[in-house]
Amino acid sequence: MDIPKEIKYCSCGLEHFCAIEDIIIEKGANKKIPALISTASCKDVVVVSDNNTHPLCASDIAADLESQRIKATEMIYARDGVLIPDEKAIIQLLEKVSTQTDMLIGVGSGVVNDICKYVSFKLKLPYMIVATAPSMDGYASAGAAMIIDNMKVTYNAHVPKAIIGDTNILRSAPIDLIKAGLGDMIGKLSCLNDWKISHLVTDEILCDNVYAMTDNAVRRCIRDIDGIICRNEDSVQRLMEGLVVVGVAMSYMNNSRPASGSEHHLSHFYEVINIMSGGKYFLHGIDVAYSTAITNALRHKLAAETPTKFAYSFNEDEWQADIRSIYGKSAEGVLALQKKLGLYSNKNLNYIKEKWDAIREVLSEAMTYEETVTLLKRAELNIEEFYDLYGFDMIKNSISYAKDLKDRYTLFWLLQDIGLLNKYADEFGKLLS
Ligand SMILES: [Zn+2]
Ligand SMILES: [Zn+2]
């Protein structure tokens, strides 16, 4: 798969660069790993897997490497339930790394990728990811999403040296992981809209090239949604390629702006809150997909407003009390972040009123709630399960307070700036009925 390593002199004024050297997504791709390791002059690697991906292909990869006289130490995360990328997982991996180790090879999907990305970055070692499911867009991105001190924190780490995806393995992944990858792609329709909004309101750089490459990748996947759901090999390859393209887009911008907006704020909220309370939550991309229906509903409601009603309002004492009651022991970190960012201010209000026609036009470009829900149904995602699991109170709180976890301008900050956020959150139930 060929993606340009760099775009020099881009029309947005930036130079875009991605350090990934090889992206191999094809049938039998895993057989190419020993040659890639040898070309990289590596001789001593740690192969990281879990109790699912070890029997699936990690043990074969390690055996192939050993047969080519490359020392392959295995780190197998054997856990009941979900593997969490936390302090314990980091220490377990560090125990397998020696002073001779010259590369980490992750075999798995989201969590294994995040742990390997984070640990290899800290150790200043390269890493390679052998994807076993087209489940999320983080393979090619530099961000490592970890859970540290019970908080989801995305660290700016580095990109893998290579991404390997054997389509035979990818298409056999559990269907929920395939749906999650598709959901993560569908979510880009929400975050790209946020990017345009932020460009209009805050003058954030909007790169037309990176925007178009992300948008094209998403539309290719959506056109092929039926093939992806029935595990057609070419379709699953297209999904995996789309997820990688989005990751490269993030590398190009040096942040996750092309891939993560208000819909990801909601998904992070559900994850963080439920990790703290021990509650259940959906796979990342599935949360993102349902959250896209919510943010699109809010966009269309907002597009119908007239700016004479807009007025800034913020009660700091009430806000602090709410943050403390919702985020519990993580609240002080959230409060400190927002204090540092200073986003609560009336500085954008008049400008938003002035620019309202252009903003409304962008908001109206989004799919409607009904269109989004219909699209999700084609991906075998029924939004009723989302309402059943979280309930309207949690969803209402997410609309008001998910943005406080992040530093990014999105639809939620736009609503905050014009004094409508909490009203929209309260009216959420009515909005959908
Ligand atoms: Zn995502
Ligand atoms: Zn650009």
Side-chain angles (χ1 to χ4, degrees), residues 135-138 180 183-185 188 243 246 250 259-260 263-264 267-268 284-285 288:
S135 56
M136 48 95 223
D137 61 21
D184 210 7
M185 288 304 274
K188 310 312 170 216
L243 291 164
V246 172
M250 288 190 258
S260 170
E263 73 302 324
H264 272 70
S267 76
H268 290 170
H284 167 76
V288 166

Side-chain angles (χ1 to χ4, degrees), residues 284-303:
H284 167 76
I286 293 179
D287 261 334
V288 166
Y290 292 136
S291 298
T292 298
I294 308 297
T295 60
N296 280 346
L298 298 175
R299 285 186 181 96
H300 281 273
K301 182 175 166 64
L302 178 55

Side-chain angles (χ1 to χ4, degrees), residues 240-343:
M240 183 65 196
E241 287 174 351
L243 291 164
V244 171
V245 166
V246 172
V248 171
M250 288 190 258
S251 288
Y252 279 171
M253 293 312 293
N254 233 342
N255 62 47
S256 62
R257 175 52 101 175
S260 170
S262 47
E263 73 302 324
H264 272 70
H265 292 189
L266 294 183
S267 76
H268 290 170
F269 182 91
Y270 307 129
E271 195 178 333
V272 165
I273 295 297
N274 286 300
I275 286 172
M276 282 194 297
S277 68
K280 279 190 179 168
Y281 55 99
F282 294 107
L283 289 167
H284 167 76
I286 293 179
D287 261 334
V288 166
Y290 292 136
S291 298
T292 298
I294 308 297
T295 60
N296 280 346
L298 298 175
R299 285 186 181 96
H300 281 273
K301 182 175 166 64
L302 178 55
E305 301 278 3
T306 42
T308 44
K309 279 202 215 156
F310 300 168
Y312 182 72
S313 78
F314 177 54
N315 181 326
E316 187 162 358
D317 291 340
E318 266 179 33
W319 170 72
Q320 285 196 5
D322 286 347
I323 293 285
R324 288 202 170 92
S325 105
I326 289 165
Y327 287 111
K329 61 184 173 186
S330 304
E332 296 311 315
V334 177
L335 293 172
L337 173 70
Q338 290 310 325
K339 194 171 175 197
K340 189 177 92 187
L341 296 169
L343 290 170

Side-chain angles (χ1 to χ4, degrees), residues 7 24 43 50 56 60 99 129 146 158 190 220 263 275 288 327 362 402:
I7 306 175
I24 305 174
K43 295 185 170 55
D50 61 26
L56 182 68
D60 290 345
T99 52
I129 181 72
M146 305 295 288
H158 60 177
S190 164
R220 260 163 62 102
E263 73 302 324
I275 286 172
V288 166
Y327 287 111
V362 172

